[in-house]
Amino acid sequence: MTLDWLKQSRFPWRLALVLLSVVALMGLVAACGDDDDDDDGGDSPTAAATTTSAGEPTDGPSLEGSEIDLLIGVDTPDYTNLIEYAAQDILAEQGITLNIGFSGDGETGVQQVIQGNAHIVDLPIVGFVPAITQGAEIEMVLSTARQSFAYASNPSITSIDDLANRTVAVHSEVSFTKAVTDALIEKYDIQGTTELIIPGSDVRLQTLVEGQIDATTVDLGDLIRAQQQFPGEINVLGTVAEEFPGLVYVVVGWDTGWADENPELAQAFVNAMIEADTRLEDLDYALEIAQVMLPDEEAEIQELIVTEFVDADINNSSDLNEETALETMQFFYDFGSIETNPATINVEDYFDFTWQENAQ
């Protein structure tokens, strides 16, 4: 019938046949185009591609332009925070902004997360436990730093046993330094010590040099600075890492609601922290990050401190697992830093290790 119409029409029939052929060919091309869409990433031509921390493409929404708000539970950065600043550098390569702020203390940092003013906070495990026990929707997901503390004394004290009947100083009644100081005294059965509360590692070192105390537990960075400033006036009896190697120091905890609503972004943060751990094994890179973090530090002192931290692998993201988490909680429960007995808890209420397991 179509052919009859063409014969009767004034329209040139050969041209009509050509047009019909073109239409058929266009349909065939369109059909083949569907296969190309599949090769390029799926049925949706608008599907975006993100990259893993290793730079490999993966399906999912683009995270470029996203922001993450991180609080660190101190007043100012120190060298245990190299890993956060390295992660900031890595996330920036992906177009993600990691905003780093400081809460002054752990309790304030946790409250800021609870109130929705920050997504993530990092501080010692003891800072998270009370809030989570009371129902805060926060979970701890990975470690950021190993113990970076040492036992320091005046030169007349040459061994831990010499601490008997001496005056020692710690940061506060409920603190990491008090727990590890009390643990050391118990471990070596040291008798007759007097314990003073002196906030601030650098302040305790100054007090030590002035002869007002005999020994104290201090941050390694502050210790190295003080040794350079007061050569021969400070003795190192050992480190917390040597005496209590199973303890996890600083960990990351975040708002579980934020992580549930932004799983790709939360995972990108974890990936970046783990990659930062690896990159910081390179001393030159660690020094670059340190100069960004603490630009006013004297170069010679900075290199001494960063070298010590790199050699000791202090900025570490892999220490937190179920065994070390419970061991650390038990330690602080035994020494009165937390009231929650780890034997009575559901570990999954406090920790989520799957983010580490899913890291790429």
Side-chain angles (χ1 to χ4, degrees):
M1 186 174 189
T2 303
L3 290 175
D4 291 339
W5 175 84
L6 284 172
K7 290 177 181 178
Q8 297 170 7
S9 172
R10 295 181 180 179
F11 196 84
W13 66 271
R14 288 188 178 88
L15 178 59
L17 287 175
V18 170
L19 290 175
L20 284 173
S21 299
V22 170
V23 170
L25 181 61
M26 289 177 64
L28 178 62
V29 170
C32 293
D34 290 342
D35 292 337
D36 291 338
D37 287 344
D38 289 340
D39 291 339
D40 289 339
D43 294 333
S44 172
T46 59
T50 60
T51 58
T52 66
S53 60
E56 299 173 353
T58 181
D59 293 335
S62 173
L63 299 178
E64 188 171 355
S66 300
E67 295 192 21
I68 303 171
D69 296 325
L70 166 70
L71 286 177
I72 299 173
V74 292
D75 293 314
T76 56
D78 63 37
Y79 291 93
T80 58
N81 303 131
L82 284 172
I83 192 168
E84 291 92 338
Y85 280 81
Q88 183 183 55
D89 180 50
I90 292 164
L91 287 168
E93 296 171 0
Q94 304 169 36
I96 301 171
T97 301
L98 177 62
N99 301 309
I100 299 177
F102 299 88
S103 63
D105 60 73
E107 184 176 355
T108 300
V110 169
Q111 288 302 314
Q112 289 295 306
V113 171
I114 292 172
Q115 294 167 12
N117 298 322
H119 305 129
I120 305 170
V121 62
D122 70 338
L123 52 131
I125 285 179
V126 293
F128 289 105
V129 173
I132 297 174
T133 300
Q134 294 169 17
E137 294 185 356
I138 294 175
E139 60 190 7
M140 293 175 267
V141 293
L142 82 165
S143 61
T144 66
R146 289 177 170 163
Q147 308 142 29
S148 59
F149 284 82
Y151 300 106
S153 69
N154 64 48
S156 68
I157 299 174
T158 58
S159 73
I160 293 173
D161 291 329
D162 294 339
L163 292 174
N165 302 310
R166 301 290 188 130
T167 300
V168 299
V170 299
H171 177 74
S172 67
E173 283 290 348
V174 181
S175 64
F176 183 85
T177 57
K178 177 172 172 55
V180 296
T181 300
D182 291 349
L184 187 76
I185 290 171
E186 181 179 290
K187 180 178 179 179
Y188 288 89
D189 193 25
I190 299 168
Q191 303 295 319
T193 57
T194 300
E195 200 169 80
L196 300 180
I197 303 299
I198 302 177
S201 184
D202 56 339
V203 178
R204 292 195 298 279
L205 282 163
Q206 182 67 40
T207 306
L208 175 65
V209 171
E210 292 171 354
Q212 299 179 43
I213 59 174
D214 299 306
T216 184
T217 305
V218 292
D219 173 74
L220 277 175
D222 288 333
L223 176 60
I224 292 171
R225 292 188 191 97
Q227 286 179 315
Q228 297 300 306
Q229 186 177 359
F230 307 106
E233 297 186 41
I234 300 171
N235 190 34
V236 180
L237 301 176
T239 67
V240 175
E242 292 167 344
E243 295 294 337
F244 305 103
L247 291 184
V248 177
Y249 180 35
V250 180
V251 299
V252 159
W254 62 30
D255 175 1
T256 56
W258 171 80
D260 289 344
E261 292 173 6
N262 302 274
E264 295 89 358
L265 189 58
Q267 189 65 61
F269 172 79
V270 171
N271 293 351
M273 291 290 283
I274 292 173
E275 184 175 344
D277 181 354
T278 300
R279 289 196 191 183
L280 288 170
E281 294 173 3
D282 180 346
L283 178 59
D284 290 337
Y285 179 76
L287 284 169
E288 288 178 14
I289 296 299
Q291 288 160 10
V292 171
M293 184 178 72
L294 292 169
D296 297 329
E297 182 84 82
E298 184 180 334
E300 182 180 353
I301 299 295
Q302 191 164 75
E303 184 168 357
L304 286 171
I305 297 173
V306 172
T307 300
E308 177 67 28
F309 273 57
V310 170
D311 289 346
D313 194 21
I314 287 175
N315 290 275
N316 188 285
S317 65
S318 62
D319 280 353
L320 187 66
N321 54 53
E322 184 168 346
E323 180 181 354
T324 59
L326 290 175
E327 180 179 346
T328 301
M329 284 188 67
Q330 188 66 52
F331 177 90
F332 288 112
Y333 175 73
D334 291 342
F335 288 96
S337 297
I338 58 174
E339 297 179 355
T340 302
N341 185 345
T344 66
I345 71 166
N346 180 355
V347 175
E348 294 179 353
D349 291 338
Y350 290 77
F351 303 92
D352 187 347
F353 307 113
T354 59
W355 297 94
Q356 293 182 65
E357 296 166 1
N358 294 334
Q360 299 178 358

